[in-house]
Amino acid sequence: MSRRVFTRAALALGVVTALGGVVGCGQDKPAFRGVDITGADYAQGFELSDQNGQVRTLKDFAGKAVVVFFGYTQCPDVCPTALQEMAQAQQLLGADADKLQGVFITVDPERDTPELLKAYMANFGADFVGLHPTAAQLPKVTKDFKIYFKKVEGKTPTSYTIDHSAGSFTFDPKGRIRLYNRHASGAEALAADVKILLNGQ
């Protein structure tokens, strides 16, 4: 083999080896079931009153994986399904059940009073938190999380429904946004992702 051919072969091998290293690094990323949005510049947090009138932020849940879902208590199916999945994921975590924090932010503060939110949250978990933005806070927090919602008028002024985004967001124990969870992905998938986050990945 001539020196020129040998040199080209060596360079090619070096490139392949380097690329192999890059691919290998990529394989070390956590195998999340949800959509990895680590480093996103949206969904950075909240500062809203809960069902007990206490102002809450992500810092209140330091050390826990926090799953945030937007909805409303009169939602017929999507919202209860999402909250039930959170509750089931807690059960699947066993001894770490208390390290998954469910947070529900209403997009219907007009009807979802703090008292109603308190009763609704109790259906899913004693530690679940319901947040009640004011009419002025709602546009900002939904924009911050890129949440779509729209009131759909009913037969009476109070019988309206609300179309809204159905996914949820998961924050790691350090309060960093990590995942977007598609609706009805399942409790098993959520629990598996939370385990990864609790392990520090």
Side-chain angles (χ1 to χ4, degrees), residues 37 41-48 58 67-70 103 105 131 138-148 165 167-171 177 180:
I37 58 171
D41 60 357
Y42 60 96
Q44 295 300 298
F46 49 79
E47 186 174 353
L48 301 168
L58 278 173
V67 182
V68 176
F69 180 80
F70 288 77
V103 174
I105 301 179
L131 298 180
L138 184 58
K140 182 181 185 305
V141 70
T142 51
K143 182 179 179 180
D144 288 348
F145 278 78
K146 296 188 176 182
I147 292 294
Y148 165 83
S165 303
S168 60
F169 300 84
T170 300
F171 294 80
I177 184 62
Y180 174 78

Side-chain angles (χ1 to χ4, degrees), residues 30-94:
F32 290 124
R33 307 279 188 90
V35 180
D36 189 342
I37 58 171
T38 301
D41 60 357
Y42 60 96
Q44 295 300 298
F46 49 79
E47 186 174 353
L48 301 168
S49 295
D50 67 10
Q51 67 265 43
N52 298 310
Q54 180 180 351
V55 176
R56 309 303 292 267
T57 70
L58 278 173
K59 292 181 180 179
D60 295 327
F61 311 113
K64 298 183 178 184
V66 180
V67 182
V68 176
F69 180 80
F70 288 77
Y72 66 114
T73 64
Q74 296 188 45
C75 178
D77 44 30
V78 172
C79 299
T81 297
L83 292 169
Q84 188 60 44
E85 283 187 359
M86 288 186 208
Q88 291 172 351
Q90 277 189 327
Q91 295 175 357
L92 291 172
L93 289 172

